[in-house]
Amino acid sequence: MNDDTLIIRITTYSSMFAGIIGKIACHPIDTIRAKIQIRQTMMLKIKAEKLISTLAKETLRTEGLRGLYKGLGITIIGTGPAYSLYLTTYETSKYLLNQLNFMKDSPNLISFASGMMAETISCIFWLPIDVIKERLQVQSNIKVFDYKNTFDAIQKILRSEGVVGLYRAYGATVASYGPFSAFYFMFYEKLKTILENPLQPSFLESLCLSGIAGSMAGFICNPMDIVRLRMQVQRASVATHADTGNFGYKNLIHGLYKVVKNEGILSLTKGSMAKVLYTCPNTAISMSVAEVTRSYFINKYKSH
């Protein structure tokens, strides 16, 4: 087994563990982020931090602590293989692109393209997770469906919408998360160049740099994330002939147009603070744990 193959294999296992830890730690703020983005009538003059605290209190009052953790079950079940495929695809893409003469001198472009490819492939796992998770997170707000738990949600979606229901808004998801992953890895790899040992950053170094990179990428891609989330919820509204929850978006571009037309251009910032508050610790924890775990096993292998 050569070193590149070893690194990819170690990445596969270490990222499974890291992804689950990051998602569990940050799930409550992700729930608040979803609740903000689903609202069409949110008053933009309310300060972001006040809106977050207001929705958190409202959720605790009406749904209890459990309300902040809705969708956590499917997240735990699916994040391991999804995050593993995500980072493994990234490392594999980066390795293959580095073999191309016209690409190997463009590290930023390699990181950007590899991040885009990682998201496109890993959405095979991520998208069903997101569809189920986010419907559970916002069902008390739009009242289109009534899922008792993760398994009840899977059964009802498959029965009423078929397998395609789990892959609602695949294009919008890739168009949202793809640029996020591309920008994230480009920023993260660029920031790592300031380190003494960029190939094996310490836990603290990776924690800080990945948090910064995730925050920047999350803010940039927030408008696409709003439309993606609404399109995933929209499928259930159409399937159940509900009056609410159907935003009438045909695709990502049409969704962005309707948000700006009906809610104003500032509506594209909905949930951006919550998005950053979620993305920063999630990417920081997940990547730092993955980096340290990977470095540990690589060093252990090389010492033998």
Side-chain angles (χ1 to χ4, degrees), residues 11 15 18-19 82-95 97 106-122 126 176-193 198 201 206 209-218 220-221 279 282-284 286-288 290-291 294:
T11 297
S15 56
Y83 197 68
S84 175
L85 181 61
Y86 178 67
L87 285 188
T88 302
T89 302
Y90 173 73
E91 290 293 342
T92 303
S93 299
K94 191 167 68 169
Y95 168 74
L97 290 175
S106 305
N108 290 336
L109 183 57
I110 288 175
S111 298
F112 190 91
S114 298
M116 195 76 184
M117 182 59 68
E119 192 61 53
T120 302
I121 299 299
S122 63
W126 278 130
S176 170
Y177 282 138
F180 167 80
S181 295
F183 279 117
Y184 167 71
F185 280 114
M186 185 179 73
F187 292 148
Y188 180 60
E189 297 288 2
K190 187 67 175 178
L191 287 169
K192 282 204 300 183
T193 59
S206 182
L209 297 186
S210 58
I212 294 171
S215 298
M216 293 166 65
I220 290 171
C221 300
T279 303
N282 180 53
T283 53
S286 299
M287 185 57 74
S288 57
E291 290 270 32
R294 183 171 58 180

Side-chain angles (χ1 to χ4, degrees), residues 216-281:
M216 293 166 65
F219 184 79
I220 290 171
C221 300
N222 189 70
M224 288 88 80
D225 195 49
I226 292 173
V227 177
R228 172 201 60 79
L229 170 60
R230 291 182 177 185
M231 287 183 70
Q232 287 177 348
V233 171
Q234 178 176 282
R235 178 82 187 190
S237 177
V238 173
T240 57
H241 306 287
D243 294 327
T244 59
N246 186 355
F247 300 98
Y249 301 162
K250 298 177 182 178
N251 50 53
L252 181 68
I253 302 301
H254 183 246
L256 289 170
Y257 168 75
K258 288 200 71 172
V259 170
V260 173
K261 180 183 178 182
N262 298 333
E263 304 168 53
I265 194 167
L266 289 180
S267 291
L268 295 176
T269 65
K270 282 182 179 180
S272 57
M273 177 64 75
K275 175 77 173 176
V276 170
L277 288 176
Y278 165 74
T279 303
C280 178

